[in-house]
Amino acid sequence: QVQLVESGGGLVQTGGSLRLSCAASGRTISNYAMGWFRQASGKEREFVGTINRSGGSSHADSVKGRFTISRDNAKNTVYLQMNGLKPGDTAVYYCAASLLLSFSYYANQYVYWGQGTQVTVSS
């Protein structure tokens, strides 16, 4: 079992930055591909970014160039650096762990999920 706890969310103005953290416990995340998803009110959960075991990453087109996923296996933590935030980025952000070897773009590829952290971007 892997327990994931997100932190770092909050209220920020348009153009601002936040860094989300996802702290894992129970097992080392080095054996997992990791991902970030988000869910806005009344909408389906959507893919934000994924990072494989080797540190390679891929991001959704909607956040490419603004958001960066990274991992620190020594700290058992995954991060999402978010710059240039827009009101459309407002959502609950979730961290997740996948057993697949490479990038995981779909929610059903992930076996462990955190509880989420709220990000609100004001205009």
Side-chain angles (χ1 to χ4, degrees), residues 57-79:
S57 61
S58 178
H59 301 80
D61 287 343
S62 59
V63 305
K64 201 168 293 184
R66 299 188 298 124
F67 291 11
T68 303
I69 186 172
S70 62
R71 65 192 301 158
D72 186 337
N73 290 339
K75 295 183 177 180
N76 227 27
T77 301
V78 178
Y79 303 98

Side-chain angles (χ1 to χ4, degrees), residues 15-84:
S17 298
L18 286 173
R19 188 176 82 155
L20 305 184
S21 298
C22 172
S25 60
R27 291 183 180 177
T28 175
I29 63 168
S30 61
N31 296 324
Y32 298 86
M34 301 296 294
W36 285 95
F37 287 75
R38 66 186 182 185
Q39 188 166 18
S41 180
K43 296 187 177 181
E44 293 187 354
R45 193 168 297 191
E46 67 171 355
F47 166 76
V48 174
T50 179
I51 186 165
N52 62 20
R53 302 181 191 186
S54 302
S57 61
S58 178
H59 301 80
D61 287 343
S62 59
V63 305
K64 201 168 293 184
R66 299 188 298 124
F67 291 11
T68 303
I69 186 172
S70 62
R71 65 192 301 158
D72 186 337
N73 290 339
K75 295 183 177 180
N76 227 27
T77 301
V78 178
Y79 303 98
L80 184 68
Q81 178 66 44
M82 305 187 295
N83 299 326

Side-chain angles (χ1 to χ4, degrees), residues 84-114:
L85 283 161
K86 307 174 182 179
D89 296 318
T90 295
V92 177
Y93 283 71
Y94 298 90
C95 170
S98 168
L99 289 171
L100 296 182
L101 292 177
S102 189
F103 299 144
S104 302
Y105 296 101
Y106 303 100
N108 61 10
Q109 295 174 322
Y110 291 82
V111 293
Y112 301 111
W113 290 85

